Amino acid sequence: MSVRILALVGSLRAGSTNRQLAEAAVKVAPEGSEVALFEGLADIPFYNEDLDVEGSVPAAAAKLREAAQAADAFLLFSPEYNGTIPAVLKNAIDWLSRPYGAGAFAGKPAAVVGTAFGQFGGVWAQDEARKAVGIAGAKVIEDLKLSIPGSLTRFAETHPADDAEVAAQLTEVVARLHGHAGETVAA
């Protein structure tokens, strides 16, 4: 059975180490799964219920919802901005939490990972992202974590996919998320 995991990256920066981590996840996806990196979070307007009207949802938000509806699981990559979740990632979660009770996250497995410059690798932001995506309806896999500290130095000359330790840890995360998604799809 094929499993589609939608990757959402909370950094818009071209050289983002979290984007590189997501690219690595695409490469290490086990057979039978696909990690699809969503492009376009920068184009989605801030969530506003006045914009979220059937038939006139902004195209960028509709594209995100369509990709999320087609996904079997979610893998969020969160850096830490001032001790919390980046606005672009929170905005995506807000759009996907609607319509109330029928959002795209409903009952689907989700994991949050990431890297940050600080000594804890962005754990505060990742914890906040887990909380938000869980409230939005996802089945958060709480013990599925990967927080990589010192991103600017660790990945200054090495892509995360070429860091053997990171690649192994990320492979385990994606494989375990794949397993949870497979259980949900089969149920």
Side-chain angles (χ1 to χ4, degrees), residues 120-155:
F120 301 113
V123 293
W124 289 348
Q126 294 157 29
D127 287 345
E128 289 293 319
R130 281 183 200 91
K131 175 183 170 186
V133 78
I135 291 170
K139 179 183 166 192
V140 177
I141 312 305
E142 291 290 342
D143 67 338
L144 198 49
K145 298 177 181 181
L146 177 58
S147 301
I148 305 163
S151 60
L152 295 180
T153 53
R154 182 163 191 166
F155 303 124

PDB file of all heavy atoms in Angstrom, residues 120-155:
ATOM      1  N   PHE A 120      19.113  23.468  21.837  1.00  0.00           N
ATOM      2  CA  PHE A 120      18.079  22.447  21.978  1.00  0.00           C
ATOM      3  C   PHE A 120      17.415  22.074  20.657  1.00  0.00           C
ATOM      4  O   PHE A 120      16.519  21.239  20.631  1.00  0.00           O
ATOM      5  CB  PHE A 120      17.025  22.889  22.995  1.00  0.00           C
ATOM      6  CG  PHE A 120      17.616  23.155  24.356  1.00  0.00           C
ATOM      7  CD1 PHE A 120      17.651  24.434  24.876  1.00  0.00           C
ATOM      8  CD2 PHE A 120      18.178  22.129  25.113  1.00  0.00           C
ATOM      9  CE1 PHE A 120      18.208  24.691  26.115  1.00  0.00           C
ATOM     10  CE2 PHE A 120      18.743  22.368  26.348  1.00  0.00           C
ATOM     11  CZ  PHE A 120      18.759  23.654  26.856  1.00  0.00           C
ATOM     12  N   GLY A 121      17.818  22.699  19.563  1.00  0.00           N
ATOM     13  CA  GLY A 121      17.328  22.309  18.249  1.00  0.00           C
ATOM     14  C   GLY A 121      15.902  22.699  17.941  1.00  0.00           C
ATOM     15  O   GLY A 121      15.287  22.142  17.050  1.00  0.00           O
ATOM     16  N   GLY A 122      15.356  23.662  18.678  1.00  0.00           N
ATOM     17  CA  GLY A 122      14.000  24.135  18.388  1.00  0.00           C
ATOM     18  C   GLY A 122      12.891  23.382  19.093  1.00  0.00           C
ATOM     19  O   GLY A 122      11.751  23.407  18.648  1.00  0.00           O
ATOM     20  N   VAL A 123      13.190  22.721  20.192  1.00  0.00           N
ATOM     21  CA  VAL A 123      12.181  21.890  20.855  1.00  0.00           C
ATOM     22  C   VAL A 123      10.952  22.684  21.298  1.00  0.00           C
ATOM     23  O   VAL A 123       9.841  22.157  21.250  1.00  0.00           O
ATOM     24  CB  VAL A 123      12.749  21.081  22.051  1.00  0.00           C
ATOM     25  CG1 VAL A 123      13.730  20.041  21.582  1.00  0.00           C
ATOM     26  CG2 VAL A 123      13.337  21.962  23.103  1.00  0.00           C
ATOM     27  N   TRP A 124      11.124  23.929  21.721  1.00  0.00           N
ATOM     28  CA  TRP A 124       9.950  24.703  22.151  1.00  0.00           C
ATOM     29  C   TRP A 124       8.980  24.896  20.981  1.00  0.00           C
ATOM     30  O   TRP A 124       7.780  24.704  21.117  1.00  0.00           O
ATOM     31  CB  TRP A 124      10.356  26.066  22.702  1.00  0.00           C
ATOM     32  CG  TRP A 124      11.052  26.046  24.019  1.00  0.00           C
ATOM     33  CD1 TRP A 124      11.172  24.992  24.891  1.00  0.00           C
ATOM     34  CD2 TRP A 124      11.737  27.134  24.632  1.00  0.00           C
ATOM     35  NE1 TRP A 124      11.890  25.365  25.992  1.00  0.00           N
ATOM     36  CE2 TRP A 124      12.249  26.679  25.867  1.00  0.00           C
ATOM     37  CE3 TRP A 124      11.983  28.451  24.259  1.00  0.00           C
ATOM     38  CZ2 TRP A 124      12.976  27.496  26.724  1.00  0.00           C
ATOM     39  CZ3 TRP A 124      12.708  29.263  25.111  1.00  0.00           C
ATOM     40  CH2 TRP A 124      13.194  28.796  26.329  1.00  0.00           C
ATOM     41  N   ALA A 125       9.520  25.286  19.843  1.00  0.00           N
ATOM     42  CA  ALA A 125       8.676  25.492  18.662  1.00  0.00           C
ATOM     43  C   ALA A 125       8.030  24.186  18.223  1.00  0.00           C
ATOM     44  O   ALA A 125       6.849  24.150  17.868  1.00  0.00           O
ATOM     45  CB  ALA A 125       9.506  26.078  17.526  1.00  0.00           C
ATOM     46  N   GLN A 126       8.800  23.117  18.261  1.00  0.00           N
ATOM     47  CA  GLN A 126       8.258  21.826  17.833  1.00  0.00           C
ATOM     48  C   GLN A 126       7.163  21.354  18.783  1.00  0.00           C
ATOM     49  O   GLN A 126       6.146  20.793  18.344  1.00  0.00           O
ATOM     50  CB  GLN A 126       9.391  20.822  17.694  1.00  0.00           C
ATOM     51  CG  GLN A 126      10.328  21.205  16.556  1.00  0.00           C
ATOM     52  CD  GLN A 126      11.702  20.622  16.687  1.00  0.00           C
ATOM     53  OE1 GLN A 126      11.883  19.555  17.271  1.00  0.00           O
ATOM     54  NE2 GLN A 126      12.698  21.298  16.142  1.00  0.00           N
ATOM     55  N   ASP A 127       7.330  21.601  20.079  1.00  0.00           N
ATOM     56  CA  ASP A 127       6.275  21.260  21.037  1.00  0.00           C
ATOM     57  C   ASP A 127       5.017  22.076  20.762  1.00  0.00           C
ATOM     58  O   ASP A 127       3.895  21.554  20.835  1.00  0.00           O
ATOM     59  CB  ASP A 127       6.747  21.471  22.474  1.00  0.00           C
ATOM     60  CG  ASP A 127       7.740  20.410  22.947  1.00  0.00           C
ATOM     61  OD1 ASP A 127       7.860  19.359  22.286  1.00  0.00           O
ATOM     62  OD2 ASP A 127       8.401  20.649  23.985  1.00  0.00           O
ATOM     63  N   GLU A 128       5.192  23.362  20.450  1.00  0.00           N
ATOM     64  CA  GLU A 128       4.038  24.216  20.125  1.00  0.00           C
ATOM     65  C   GLU A 128       3.347  23.730  18.849  1.00  0.00           C
ATOM     66  O   GLU A 128       2.119  23.734  18.765  1.00  0.00           O
ATOM     67  CB  GLU A 128       4.472  25.677  19.964  1.00  0.00           C
ATOM     68  CG  GLU A 128       4.868  26.354  21.253  1.00  0.00           C
ATOM     69  CD  GLU A 128       3.705  26.538  22.209  1.00  0.00           C
ATOM     70  OE1 GLU A 128       2.595  26.893  21.766  1.00  0.00           O
ATOM     71  OE2 GLU A 128       3.911  26.321  23.421  1.00  0.00           O
ATOM     72  N   ALA A 129       4.131  23.328  17.866  1.00  0.00           N
ATOM     73  CA  ALA A 129       3.556  22.822  16.615  1.00  0.00           C
ATOM     74  C   ALA A 129       2.777  21.532  16.865  1.00  0.00           C
ATOM     75  O   ALA A 129       1.685  21.342  16.318  1.00  0.00           O
ATOM     76  CB  ALA A 129       4.655  22.597  15.576  1.00  0.00           C
ATOM     77  N   ARG A 130       3.321  20.643  17.706  1.00  0.00           N
ATOM     78  CA  ARG A 130       2.598  19.409  18.048  1.00  0.00           C
ATOM     79  C   ARG A 130       1.262  19.743  18.713  1.00  0.00           C
ATOM     80  O   ARG A 130       0.235  19.137  18.405  1.00  0.00           O
ATOM     81  CB  ARG A 130       3.427  18.534  18.988  1.00  0.00           C
ATOM     82  CG  ARG A 130       4.497  17.756  18.323  1.00  0.00           C
ATOM     83  CD  ARG A 130       5.266  16.840  19.305  1.00  0.00           C
ATOM     84  NE  ARG A 130       6.528  16.513  18.698  1.00  0.00           N
ATOM     85  CZ  ARG A 130       7.648  17.211  18.851  1.00  0.00           C
ATOM     86  NH1 ARG A 130       7.687  18.239  19.660  1.00  0.00           N
ATOM     87  NH2 ARG A 130       8.743  16.857  18.227  1.00  0.00           N
ATOM     88  N   LYS A 131       1.303  20.690  19.628  1.00  0.00           N
ATOM     89  CA  LYS A 131       0.073  21.095  20.319  1.00  0.00           C
ATOM     90  C   LYS A 131      -0.954  21.623  19.313  1.00  0.00           C
ATOM     91  O   LYS A 131      -2.114  21.201  19.316  1.00  0.00           O
ATOM     92  CB  LYS A 131       0.406  22.176  21.357  1.00  0.00           C
ATOM     93  CG  LYS A 131      -0.790  22.757  22.051  1.00  0.00           C
ATOM     94  CD  LYS A 131      -0.354  23.868  23.006  1.00  0.00           C
ATOM     95  CE  LYS A 131      -1.541  24.636  23.535  1.00  0.00           C
ATOM     96  NZ  LYS A 131      -1.122  25.795  24.337  1.00  0.00           N
ATOM     97  N   ALA A 132      -0.531  22.526  18.437  1.00  0.00           N
ATOM     98  CA  ALA A 132      -1.462  23.142  17.481  1.00  0.00           C
ATOM     99  C   ALA A 132      -2.021  22.120  16.493  1.00  0.00           C
ATOM    100  O   ALA A 132      -3.227  22.108  16.224  1.00  0.00           O
ATOM    101  CB  ALA A 132      -0.762  24.273  16.729  1.00  0.00           C
ATOM    102  N   VAL A 133      -1.171  21.257  15.957  1.00  0.00           N
ATOM    103  CA  VAL A 133      -1.649  20.286  14.972  1.00  0.00           C
ATOM    104  C   VAL A 133      -2.551  19.240  15.633  1.00  0.00           C
ATOM    105  O   VAL A 133      -3.510  18.753  15.028  1.00  0.00           O
ATOM    106  CB  VAL A 133      -0.465  19.670  14.180  1.00  0.00           C
ATOM    107  CG1 VAL A 133       0.267  18.618  14.950  1.00  0.00           C
ATOM    108  CG2 VAL A 133      -0.913  19.134  12.849  1.00  0.00           C
ATOM    109  N   GLY A 134      -2.291  18.939  16.898  1.00  0.00           N
ATOM    110  CA  GLY A 134      -3.164  18.017  17.631  1.00  0.00           C
ATOM    111  C   GLY A 134      -4.536  18.628  17.871  1.00  0.00           C
ATOM    112  O   GLY A 134      -5.560  17.964  17.682  1.00  0.00           O
ATOM    113  N   ILE A 135      -4.561  19.878  18.274  1.00  0.00           N
ATOM    114  CA  ILE A 135      -5.842  20.569  18.464  1.00  0.00           C
ATOM    115  C   ILE A 135      -6.583  20.679  17.137  1.00  0.00           C
ATOM    116  O   ILE A 135      -7.813  20.611  17.090  1.00  0.00           O
ATOM    117  CB  ILE A 135      -5.625  21.953  19.112  1.00  0.00           C
ATOM    118  CG1 ILE A 135      -5.172  21.771  20.565  1.00  0.00           C
ATOM    119  CG2 ILE A 135      -6.875  22.808  19.042  1.00  0.00           C
ATOM    120  CD1 ILE A 135      -4.694  23.041  21.249  1.00  0.00           C
ATOM    121  N   ALA A 136      -5.824  20.789  16.036  1.00  0.00           N
ATOM    122  CA  ALA A 136      -6.424  20.878  14.701  1.00  0.00           C
ATOM    123  C   ALA A 136      -6.980  19.540  14.219  1.00  0.00           C
ATOM    124  O   ALA A 136      -7.603  19.477  13.168  1.00  0.00           O
ATOM    125  CB  ALA A 136      -5.400  21.406  13.704  1.00  0.00           C
ATOM    126  N   GLY A 137      -6.752  18.476  14.983  1.00  0.00           N
ATOM    127  CA  GLY A 137      -7.379  17.203  14.661  1.00  0.00           C
ATOM    128  C   GLY A 137      -6.453  16.067  14.282  1.00  0.00           C
ATOM    129  O   GLY A 137      -6.893  14.932  14.105  1.00  0.00           O
ATOM    130  N   ALA A 138      -5.162  16.339  14.143  1.00  0.00           N
ATOM    131  CA  ALA A 138      -4.227  15.268  13.767  1.00  0.00           C
ATOM    132  C   ALA A 138      -3.992  14.327  14.938  1.00  0.00           C
ATOM    133  O   ALA A 138      -4.153  14.688  16.098  1.00  0.00           O
ATOM    134  CB  ALA A 138      -2.896  15.863  13.312  1.00  0.00           C
ATOM    135  N   LYS A 139      -3.596  13.119  14.604  1.00  0.00           N
ATOM    136  CA  LYS A 139      -3.177  12.132  15.600  1.00  0.00           C
ATOM    137  C   LYS A 139      -1.662  12.287  15.734  1.00  0.00           C
ATOM    138  O   LYS A 139      -0.888  11.710  14.976  1.00  0.00           O
ATOM    139  CB  LYS A 139      -3.547  10.730  15.107  1.00  0.00           C
ATOM    140  CG  LYS A 139      -3.150   9.631  16.049  1.00  0.00           C
ATOM    141  CD  LYS A 139      -3.487   8.284  15.431  1.00  0.00           C
ATOM    142  CE  LYS A 139      -2.793   7.191  16.212  1.00  0.00           C
ATOM    143  NZ  LYS A 139      -2.855   5.910  15.516  1.00  0.00           N
ATOM    144  N   VAL A 140      -1.242  13.132  16.668  1.00  0.00           N
ATOM    145  CA  VAL A 140       0.177  13.435  16.832  1.00  0.00           C
ATOM    146  C   VAL A 140       0.895  12.234  17.436  1.00  0.00           C
ATOM    147  O   VAL A 140       0.477  11.699  18.466  1.00  0.00           O
ATOM    148  CB  VAL A 140       0.377  14.684  17.711  1.00  0.00           C
ATOM    149  CG1 VAL A 140       1.857  14.961  17.934  1.00  0.00           C
ATOM    150  CG2 VAL A 140      -0.311  15.890  17.085  1.00  0.00           C
ATOM    151  N   ILE A 141       1.961  11.818  16.791  1.00  0.00           N
ATOM    152  CA  ILE A 141       2.784  10.722  17.297  1.00  0.00           C
ATOM    153  C   ILE A 141       3.797  11.370  18.248  1.00  0.00           C
ATOM    154  O   ILE A 141       4.842  11.853  17.832  1.00  0.00           O
ATOM    155  CB  ILE A 141       3.481   9.959  16.155  1.00  0.00           C
ATOM    156  CG1 ILE A 141       2.496   9.605  15.032  1.00  0.00           C
ATOM    157  CG2 ILE A 141       4.191   8.727  16.701  1.00  0.00           C
ATOM    158  CD1 ILE A 141       1.277   8.832  15.450  1.00  0.00           C
ATOM    159  N   GLU A 142       3.441  11.418  19.512  1.00  0.00           N
ATOM    160  CA  GLU A 142       4.174  12.192  20.517  1.00  0.00           C
ATOM    161  C   GLU A 142       5.622  11.744  20.710  1.00  0.00           C
ATOM    162  O   GLU A 142       6.483  12.558  21.000  1.00  0.00           O
ATOM    163  CB  GLU A 142       3.446  12.162  21.861  1.00  0.00           C
ATOM    164  CG  GLU A 142       2.133  12.919  21.868  1.00  0.00           C
ATOM    165  CD  GLU A 142       2.287  14.428  21.783  1.00  0.00           C
ATOM    166  OE1 GLU A 142       3.377  14.964  22.044  1.00  0.00           O
ATOM    167  OE2 GLU A 142       1.285  15.089  21.451  1.00  0.00           O
ATOM    168  N   ASP A 143       5.890  10.459  20.552  1.00  0.00           N
ATOM    169  CA  ASP A 143       7.258   9.997  20.795  1.00  0.00           C
ATOM    170  C   ASP A 143       8.119  10.002  19.525  1.00  0.00           C
ATOM    171  O   ASP A 143       9.246   9.543  19.533  1.00  0.00           O
ATOM    172  CB  ASP A 143       7.257   8.615  21.433  1.00  0.00           C
ATOM    173  CG  ASP A 143       6.740   7.526  20.503  1.00  0.00           C
ATOM    174  OD1 ASP A 143       6.012   7.850  19.536  1.00  0.00           O
ATOM    175  OD2 ASP A 143       7.060   6.354  20.732  1.00  0.00           O
ATOM    176  N   LEU A 144       7.595  10.545  18.464  1.00  0.00           N
ATOM    177  CA  LEU A 144       8.313  10.620  17.200  1.00  0.00           C
ATOM    178  C   LEU A 144       8.885  12.028  17.059  1.00  0.00           C
ATOM    179  O   LEU A 144       8.221  12.943  16.593  1.00  0.00           O
ATOM    180  CB  LEU A 144       7.360  10.302  16.049  1.00  0.00           C
ATOM    181  CG  LEU A 144       7.947   9.915  14.715  1.00  0.00           C
ATOM    182  CD1 LEU A 144       8.998   8.836  14.856  1.00  0.00           C
ATOM    183  CD2 LEU A 144       6.854   9.445  13.788  1.00  0.00           C
ATOM    184  N   LYS A 145      10.138  12.180  17.532  1.00  0.00           N
ATOM    185  CA  LYS A 145      10.746  13.507  17.599  1.00  0.00           C
ATOM    186  C   LYS A 145      12.166  13.475  17.047  1.00  0.00           C
ATOM    187  O   LYS A 145      12.844  12.451  17.130  1.00  0.00           O
ATOM    188  CB  LYS A 145      10.796  13.995  19.049  1.00  0.00           C
ATOM    189  CG  LYS A 145       9.434  14.140  19.687  1.00  0.00           C
ATOM    190  CD  LYS A 145       9.540  14.565  21.139  1.00  0.00           C
ATOM    191  CE  LYS A 145       8.142  14.681  21.748  1.00  0.00           C
ATOM    192  NZ  LYS A 145       8.204  15.118  23.141  1.00  0.00           N
ATOM    193  N   LEU A 146      12.583  14.613  16.520  1.00  0.00           N
ATOM    194  CA  LEU A 146      13.954  14.804  16.085  1.00  0.00           C
ATOM    195  C   LEU A 146      14.239  16.299  16.136  1.00  0.00           C
ATOM    196  O   LEU A 146      13.662  17.068  15.361  1.00  0.00           O
ATOM    197  CB  LEU A 146      14.176  14.271  14.669  1.00  0.00           C
ATOM    198  CG  LEU A 146      15.572  14.477  14.066  1.00  0.00           C
ATOM    199  CD1 LEU A 146      16.652  13.838  14.938  1.00  0.00           C
ATOM    200  CD2 LEU A 146      15.616  13.932  12.655  1.00  0.00           C
ATOM    201  N   SER A 147      15.068  16.702  17.068  1.00  0.00           N
ATOM    202  CA  SER A 147      15.454  18.107  17.231  1.00  0.00           C
ATOM    203  C   SER A 147      16.969  18.180  17.120  1.00  0.00           C
ATOM    204  O   SER A 147      17.682  17.624  17.946  1.00  0.00           O
ATOM    205  CB  SER A 147      15.011  18.633  18.601  1.00  0.00           C
ATOM    206  OG  SER A 147      13.618  18.519  18.740  1.00  0.00           O
ATOM    207  N   ILE A 148      17.426  18.862  16.100  1.00  0.00           N
ATOM    208  CA  ILE A 148      18.861  18.914  15.827  1.00  0.00           C
ATOM    209  C   ILE A 148      19.389  20.311  16.162  1.00  0.00           C
ATOM    210  O   ILE A 148      19.019  21.286  15.506  1.00  0.00           O
ATOM    211  CB  ILE A 148      19.143  18.579  14.352  1.00  0.00           C
ATOM    212  CG1 ILE A 148      18.515  17.227  14.002  1.00  0.00           C
ATOM    213  CG2 ILE A 148      20.641  18.583  14.084  1.00  0.00           C
ATOM    214  CD1 ILE A 148      18.379  16.977  12.529  1.00  0.00           C
ATOM    215  N   PRO A 149      20.235  20.414  17.188  1.00  0.00           N
ATOM    216  CA  PRO A 149      20.795  21.719  17.573  1.00  0.00           C
ATOM    217  C   PRO A 149      21.951  22.148  16.670  1.00  0.00           C
ATOM    218  O   PRO A 149      22.494  21.336  15.903  1.00  0.00           O
ATOM    219  CB  PRO A 149      21.286  21.472  18.998  1.00  0.00           C
ATOM    220  CG  PRO A 149      21.620  20.021  19.033  1.00  0.00           C
ATOM    221  CD  PRO A 149      20.656  19.348  18.089  1.00  0.00           C
ATOM    222  N   GLY A 150      22.318  23.432  16.787  1.00  0.00           N
ATOM    223  CA  GLY A 150      23.494  23.949  16.094  1.00  0.00           C
ATOM    224  C   GLY A 150      23.417  23.902  14.585  1.00  0.00           C
ATOM    225  O   GLY A 150      24.419  23.674  13.909  1.00  0.00           O
ATOM    226  N   SER A 151      22.245  24.156  14.030  1.00  0.00           N
ATOM    227  CA  SER A 151      22.025  23.978  12.595  1.00  0.00           C
ATOM    228  C   SER A 151      22.983  24.771  11.711  1.00  0.00           C
ATOM    229  O   SER A 151      23.465  24.251  10.707  1.00  0.00           O
ATOM    230  CB  SER A 151      20.589  24.347  12.239  1.00  0.00           C
ATOM    231  OG  SER A 151      20.334  25.703  12.572  1.00  0.00           O
ATOM    232  N   LEU A 152      23.253  26.002  12.080  1.00  0.00           N
ATOM    233  CA  LEU A 152      24.090  26.842  11.211  1.00  0.00           C
ATOM    234  C   LEU A 152      25.517  26.336  11.109  1.00  0.00           C
ATOM    235  O   LEU A 152      26.152  26.460  10.054  1.00  0.00           O
ATOM    236  CB  LEU A 152      24.075  28.295  11.691  1.00  0.00           C
ATOM    237  CG  LEU A 152      22.719  28.994  11.599  1.00  0.00           C
ATOM    238  CD1 LEU A 152      22.819  30.430  12.094  1.00  0.00           C
ATOM    239  CD2 LEU A 152      22.157  28.951  10.194  1.00  0.00           C
ATOM    240  N   THR A 153      26.007  25.753  12.174  1.00  0.00           N
ATOM    241  CA  THR A 153      27.363  25.214  12.109  1.00  0.00           C
ATOM    242  C   THR A 153      27.365  23.768  11.624  1.00  0.00           C
ATOM    243  O   THR A 153      28.195  23.386  10.800  1.00  0.00           O
ATOM    244  CB  THR A 153      28.062  25.321  13.480  1.00  0.00           C
ATOM    245  OG1 THR A 153      27.249  24.734  14.486  1.00  0.00           O
ATOM    246  CG2 THR A 153      28.333  26.776  13.833  1.00  0.00           C
ATOM    247  N   ARG A 154      26.431  22.981  12.112  1.00  0.00           N
ATOM    248  CA  ARG A 154      26.400  21.561  11.727  1.00  0.00           C
ATOM    249  C   ARG A 154      26.196  21.381  10.221  1.00  0.00           C
ATOM    250  O   ARG A 154      26.773  20.482   9.609  1.00  0.00           O
ATOM    251  CB  ARG A 154      25.300  20.830  12.488  1.00  0.00           C
ATOM    252  CG  ARG A 154      25.266  19.347  12.143  1.00  0.00           C
ATOM    253  CD  ARG A 154      24.518  18.534  13.124  1.00  0.00           C
ATOM    254  NE  ARG A 154      24.739  17.115  12.885  1.00  0.00           N
ATOM    255  CZ  ARG A 154      24.434  16.179  13.744  1.00  0.00           C
ATOM    256  NH1 ARG A 154      23.908  16.495  14.911  1.00  0.00           N
ATOM    257  NH2 ARG A 154      24.652  14.913  13.450  1.00  0.00           N
ATOM    258  N   PHE A 155      25.348  22.235   9.643  1.00  0.00           N
ATOM    259  CA  PHE A 155      25.034  22.086   8.218  1.00  0.00           C
ATOM    260  C   PHE A 155      25.656  23.187   7.361  1.00  0.00           C
ATOM    261  O   PHE A 155      25.204  23.432   6.242  1.00  0.00           O
ATOM    262  CB  PHE A 155      23.516  22.027   8.023  1.00  0.00           C
ATOM    263  CG  PHE A 155      22.859  20.916   8.800  1.00  0.00           C
ATOM    264  CD1 PHE A 155      21.838  21.196   9.692  1.00  0.00           C
ATOM    265  CD2 PHE A 155      23.279  19.603   8.666  1.00  0.00           C
ATOM    266  CE1 PHE A 155      21.230  20.175  10.419  1.00  0.00           C
ATOM    267  CE2 PHE A 155      22.690  18.580   9.399  1.00  0.00           C
ATOM    268  CZ  PHE A 155      21.657  18.865  10.280  1.00  0.00           C
TER     269      PHE A 155
END
